[in-house]
């Protein structure tokens, strides 16, 4: 993505802040035995509080609002109801 206007820069900065805060809050919310789907649902609510939208979910039909991986799984994992 190329940023060509000040408003685009501000938008990217706001999106970055929303993502950083969402990640921080998700890390604090996460508990042993919780499913990645539960954590994803929480992340969706945090993003919503920022009036942010998940590009993978809305643009590409990704089956989650966040990309969650556990331990040594590959990145961009799909949220699951499986408990860890």
């Amino acid at each position: 993505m190329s940023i060509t206007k000040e408003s685009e820069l501000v938008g990217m900065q706001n999106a970055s802040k929303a993502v950083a805060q969402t990640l921080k809050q998700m890390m604090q919310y996460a508990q042993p035995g919780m499913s990645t789907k539960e954590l994803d649902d929480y992340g969706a609510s945090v993003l919503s509080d920022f009036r942010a939208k998940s590009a993978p979910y809305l643009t590409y039909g990704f089956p989650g609002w966040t990309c969650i991986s556990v331990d040594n799984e590959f990145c961009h994992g799909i949220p699951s109801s499986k408990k860890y």
Side-chain angles (χ1 to χ4, degrees), residues 22-36:
T22 299
L23 179 59
K24 181 178 180 181
Q25 290 183 42
M26 287 174 72
M27 288 172 45
Q28 293 169 345
Y29 183 80
Q31 297 293 317
M34 169 182 280
S35 73
T36 54

Side-chain angles (χ1 to χ4, degrees), residues 48-68:
S48 179
D49 290 345
F50 283 102
R51 294 187 294 148
K53 299 174 183 168
S54 168
Y57 180 81
L58 296 173
T59 305
Y60 306 110
F62 187 78
W65 283 76
T66 62
C67 300
I68 297 177

Side-chain angles (χ1 to χ4, degrees), residues 37-48:
K37 175 72 171 114
E38 291 172 289
L39 190 55
D40 181 67
D41 289 343
Y42 177 74
S45 72
V46 175
L47 286 170
S48 179

